[in-house]
């Protein structure tokens, strides 16, 4: 079964997505979501009447490179105020396994895969594979020990995930593992991500701090320029 990936763009000023990323994702089913941000006092219906034609044209421009690369692509255009809520709703309606936070990267040779404290192994390999089709590329499995977790458990999470990815056919020589206990979870991942070209990770539970500082994938994209694929846990 082909995985379905949501690629979300904030309209009317969408983030660009690089040709190399489009090519790597073309084997997936793609859902392009254009979310047009509506001012607080403006009804969504009013914004749609005023800007729908322009937004539809923008979304078609974003869609065309995926079509040219041979991808199966659907589009959704939503006018509203709650972008995060819209992304979550459309992902469930379209049965998407993961979401891409796009970025204009020029190459994808090194992929960072941060792992949560509860290891889940079955859905990461497909998205690691599509980003690592080039035989020269590799991945680093990364786990942050914090909150009283012992190092042995962290090493177990890394090794079991490694075994799961290798069993899917990925070359074990292209997999590294890293265990960190040098700081907070988010800070350590942000620091590590600066040395990589892309990030594949499981979604985290929503936190109050996300509303203030932004979600971790958004911060990774903003601070490193890396595209981030976030895989749903409850798929």
């Amino acid at each position: 079964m082909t995985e379905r990936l949501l690629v979300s763009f904030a309209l009317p000023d969408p983030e660009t997505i690089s040709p190399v990323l489009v090519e790597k994702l073309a084997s997936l089913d793609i859902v392009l979501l254009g979310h047009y941000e509506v001012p607080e006092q403006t009804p969504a219906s009013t914004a749609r009447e005023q800007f729908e034609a322009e937004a539809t044209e923008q979304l078609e421009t974003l869609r065309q490179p995926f079509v040219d690369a041979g991808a199966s692509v659907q589009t959704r255009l939503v006018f509203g105020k709650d972008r995060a809520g819209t992304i979550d709703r459309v992902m469930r309606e379209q049965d998407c396994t993961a979401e891409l936070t796009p970025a204009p990267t020029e190459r994808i040779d090194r992929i960072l895969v941060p792992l949560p404290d509860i290891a889940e192994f079955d859905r990461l390999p497909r998205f690691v594979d599509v980003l690592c089709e080039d035989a020269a590329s590799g991945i680093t499995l990364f786990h942050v020990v914090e909150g009283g977790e012992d190092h042995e458990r962290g090493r177990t999470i890394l090794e079991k995930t490694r075994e799961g990815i290798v069993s899917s056919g990925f070359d074990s020589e292209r997999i590294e593992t890293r265990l960190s206990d040098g700081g907070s979870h988010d800070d350590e991942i942000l620091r590590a991500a600066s040395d990589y070209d892309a990030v594949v990770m499981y979604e985290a539970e929503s936190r109050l701090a996300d509303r203030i500082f932004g979600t971790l994938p958004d911060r990774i994209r903003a601070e490193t320029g890396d595209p981030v694929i976030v895989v749903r846990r409850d798929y």
Side-chain angles (χ1 to χ4, degrees):
M1 175 177 148
T2 303
E3 303 285 2
R4 183 166 293 165
L5 177 71
L6 182 79
V7 183
S8 61
F9 293 96
L11 303 178
D13 299 306
E15 179 72 74
T16 58
I17 184 168
S18 67
V20 66
L21 193 53
V22 170
E23 289 290 337
K24 286 182 177 292
L25 298 175
S27 62
L28 305 174
D29 285 342
I30 304 295
V31 177
L32 290 189
L33 169 64
H35 181 265
Y36 199 103
E37 188 71 27
V38 176
E40 191 61 37
Q41 303 302 320
T42 302
S45 58
T46 300
R48 180 175 288 275
E49 290 176 4
Q50 187 172 358
F51 300 111
E52 183 172 21
E54 174 188 343
T56 299
E57 184 176 345
Q58 277 189 310
L59 199 55
E60 178 58 29
T61 299
L62 294 167
R63 173 180 174 271
Q64 194 57 50
F66 286 96
V67 173
D68 292 343
S72 171
V73 190
Q74 302 177 55
T75 59
R76 293 283 299 271
L77 176 61
V78 177
F79 288 78
K81 302 173 179 63
D82 181 11
R83 182 168 180 261
T86 298
I87 289 172
D88 184 66
R89 173 174 59 81
V90 172
M91 282 190 71
R92 295 178 188 280
E93 290 175 353
Q94 300 290 152
D95 200 27
C96 296
T97 313
E99 176 203 356
L100 170 71
T101 301
T105 184
E106 295 182 358
R107 66 177 189 178
I108 301 178
D109 294 331
R110 304 183 67 213
I111 295 90
L112 181 71
V113 183
L115 299 173
D117 57 354
I118 300 176
E120 302 175 52
F121 321 117
D122 55 337
R123 294 185 295 277
L124 283 176
R126 174 58 175 150
F127 295 98
V128 170
D129 284 347
V130 298
L131 293 182
C132 289
E133 289 179 342
D134 187 335
S137 60
I139 69 170
T140 298
L141 304 177
F142 183 71
H143 181 72
V144 180
V145 175
E146 64 172 359
E149 179 189 358
D150 61 62
H151 284 69
E152 187 59 35
R153 175 173 169 76
R155 284 189 285 269
T156 298
I157 289 171
L158 288 170
E159 187 54 34
K160 285 189 175 181
T161 305
R162 184 179 184 277
E163 291 172 359
I165 293 176
V166 170
S167 68
S168 73
F170 198 85
D171 183 0
S172 62
E173 296 294 322
R174 296 162 62 194
I175 303 175
E176 296 180 353
T177 60
R178 286 178 59 186
L179 192 68
S180 173
D181 60 0
S184 73
H185 176 269
D186 287 12
D187 288 346
E188 287 299 293
I189 292 175
L190 280 167
R191 188 176 297 113
S194 64
D195 295 326
Y196 292 82
D197 305 314
V199 177
V200 179
M201 62 190 295
Y202 279 113
E203 66 180 343
E205 294 183 1
S206 179
R207 302 167 301 177
L208 177 61
D210 292 344
R211 301 181 184 180
I212 302 171
F213 302 109
T215 65
L216 181 56
D218 285 339
R219 293 172 64 196
I220 292 172
R221 190 268 314 275
E223 295 183 27
T224 70
D226 293 345
V228 185
I229 292 179
V230 181
V231 182
R232 281 171 54 185
R233 289 200 192 196
D234 62 348
Y235 185 79

